[in-house]
Amino acid sequence: MSNNEAPAARLEGLEDENDTEVFDVGMFESGTVGSGFHIKNNPKDLYQRPDIIQRTGHGVDIRCTLIDVVHGAMSADSDYWATILVLQFRFDPQKRARRVAEATIELCFGASDANKNLPEIDAISFDGNYSFLSSKQSETITKGCDGNIGASYGADLGASIKWEKTVVRETADATTICGGKLVVDNMPPNRIAKWTLLENKTLRTGVPASIRVAVRIKRLDEAIFTCLPRLQCKADKWTTLKTFFGGVPEDDPVLLKPELKPTNKLMAYDTEELGSVDLQMLSDVTFTTMILDAQK
C-alpha cells in the first residue's frame, strides 16, 4: 500500500442492535489519516484545557467542555484538599431524525506521578437514577386460536371453536440518567465517575441535547492530577461511521493543577468550604432551547 493510500476502515467494537449502532468517540478519528481529530494538550498551556472532547462526522456533533474548575479545601478544619469540576456534554444533531439513543460517560481520575497520592471521588451530581420526559401509552394485545371438532367414521357432523383473549395494558417510559462512582481494577478508592444516558424508547427522542455534571474530588496533597474522559455512544442506524479510518489514541488526559485560581463561572465558590457545595445545583439537563420571541 502506498503512503498516500488510506488504510482500510477498522471499526473495532461496532455492534448492531435493532436500529442502533455503537461507536466509541474516544477511539476513532474522522477524516483522512493524520487529521488528528482527538484533542491534545497545548504545550504552551498544559493545564485544565476547556475543550475536553470534540467529535463530528456521525450526523451528530459531540462535545465536552470544562465549565468550572475550583481547587481548595473540603472544609476549614478538614485534613483533605478538594477540587470541584463542572463539565458540559452536548449531543447536537446535524441532520433531521439523527439522534444518540444511549451515551455512557466516564471520567477516570489518577495521579500524574506514580509516587503521588491517588485522588478520590467524594461525590458526583446525578448520583442514582433520574428520569425526564416521561410518557404513557395504552396497548391492546389480542391472542386467539381456531379449531375444528368432528365425528369419526365419516359422520357428517362437526363444529368450529374460536378462542380469543384481549389484554389492555398501559406502559410507561422515560429518558433516564443513572450515575455512580466506581473503583479502578477492583482497588479502592473510587476514581471513576460514570453516567449512563438512555433515551425514551417509546418516543425515540434521543438523549438530552445537553447535560452538565459536577464532580468533587478529595485529595491528600496539592500535586497535579489527571482526568481521563471516555465517552461511548449508541446512535440510530442512519448516524453512520462512513468517514472513519483507523484507530487513534484517546484524547489526552486533562491535567489539573491545584495552584491555579478558581474559574468561578457558575458561582463564586468558597474555596475553604468546597465540601458543602451542592453539586446538584451546578448541574443541568436541556433537551432543546426554545426561542419564543424569534418573530419580530
Side-chain angles (χ1 to χ4, degrees):
M1 182 174 63
S2 66
N3 294 333
N4 296 326
E5 184 178 354
R10 189 176 62 194
L11 303 182
E12 299 173 356
L14 181 64
E15 300 176 4
D16 288 321
E17 183 179 335
N18 299 327
D19 67 338
T20 59
E21 292 181 350
V22 178
F23 60 91
D24 186 336
V25 301
M27 295 301 293
F28 303 99
E29 70 176 343
S30 175
T32 57
V33 175
S35 62
F37 208 68
H38 61 294
I39 302 297
K40 300 178 69 67
N41 289 321
N42 185 345
K44 296 182 179 180
D45 188 13
L46 280 175
Y47 303 107
Q48 301 177 183
R49 72 172 190 268
D51 298 317
I52 309 299
I53 292 174
Q54 288 186 2
R55 293 292 184 273
T56 61
H58 306 283
V60 177
D61 284 355
I62 300 174
R63 295 179 176 85
C64 172
T65 305
L66 187 58
I67 303 297
D68 258 345
V69 187
V70 183
H71 304 287
M74 290 293 289
S75 65
D77 57 354
S78 173
D79 294 330
Y80 291 98
W81 301 97
T83 296
I84 289 179
L85 295 92
V86 183
L87 302 95
Q88 183 174 32
F89 292 84
R90 289 178 51 184
F91 307 90
D92 299 323
Q94 299 304 301
K95 296 181 180 180
R96 290 185 180 276
R98 301 299 170 89
R99 75 188 197 278
V100 173
E102 178 181 331
T104 300
I105 299 167
E106 287 188 4
L107 303 175
C108 183
F109 294 88
S112 60
D113 189 324
N115 297 321
K116 301 297 183 180
N117 293 305
L118 290 171
E120 177 182 354
I121 297 175
D122 176 67
I124 66 173
S125 62
F126 297 115
D127 190 357
N129 292 281
Y130 295 78
S131 61
F132 314 86
L133 197 64
S134 59
S135 64
K136 292 183 179 181
Q137 70 174 11
S138 296
E139 295 181 351
T140 301
I141 302 174
T142 302
K143 297 180 180 180
C145 64
D146 289 319
N148 290 296
I149 57 174
S152 58
Y153 305 108
D156 191 16
L157 296 174
S160 175
I161 61 173
K162 185 176 182 179
W163 171 84
E164 285 187 348
K165 181 180 180 180
T166 300
V167 177
V168 179
R169 67 180 183 183
E170 189 174 77
T171 60
D173 202 352
T175 301
T176 60
I177 298 175
C178 178
K181 300 173 291 183
L182 302 171
V183 299
V184 177
D185 296 330
N186 300 318
M187 185 179 298
N190 290 316
R191 294 197 289 124
I192 296 177
K194 181 178 179 179
W195 297 270
T196 301
L197 286 63
L198 302 175
E199 73 169 349
N200 183 319
K201 284 190 175 181
T202 302
L203 301 180
R204 294 191 176 186
T205 49
V207 300
S210 172
I211 177 173
R212 192 169 68 213
V213 297
V215 185
R216 180 166 52 236
I217 303 298
K218 184 166 62 175
R219 301 179 283 107
L220 289 171
D221 54 35
E222 287 277 73
I224 296 170
F225 62 105
T226 64
C227 172
L228 181 63
R230 183 176 175 85
L231 177 62
Q232 188 179 60
C233 295
K234 183 181 292 185
D236 65 276
K237 65 182 179 181
W238 306 111
T239 305
T240 64
L241 303 178
K242 60 185 178 182
T243 59
F244 278 58
F245 297 90
V248 298
E250 292 183 340
D251 297 281
D252 283 356
V254 180
L255 301 178
L256 300 163
K257 190 175 184 180
E259 297 176 4
L260 297 180
K261 295 180 179 180
T263 51
N264 290 343
K265 292 180 180 178
L266 296 179
M267 60 177 285
Y269 300 85
D270 183 352
T271 57
E272 293 298 317
E273 296 289 342
L274 293 183
S276 63
V277 175
D278 184 355
L279 300 184
Q280 204 62 37
M281 295 295 293
L282 301 174
S283 303
D284 183 62
V285 174
T286 302
F287 281 91
T288 186
T289 302
M290 300 294 294
I291 302 176
L292 301 178
D293 58 347
Q295 186 173 356
K296 297 180 180 179

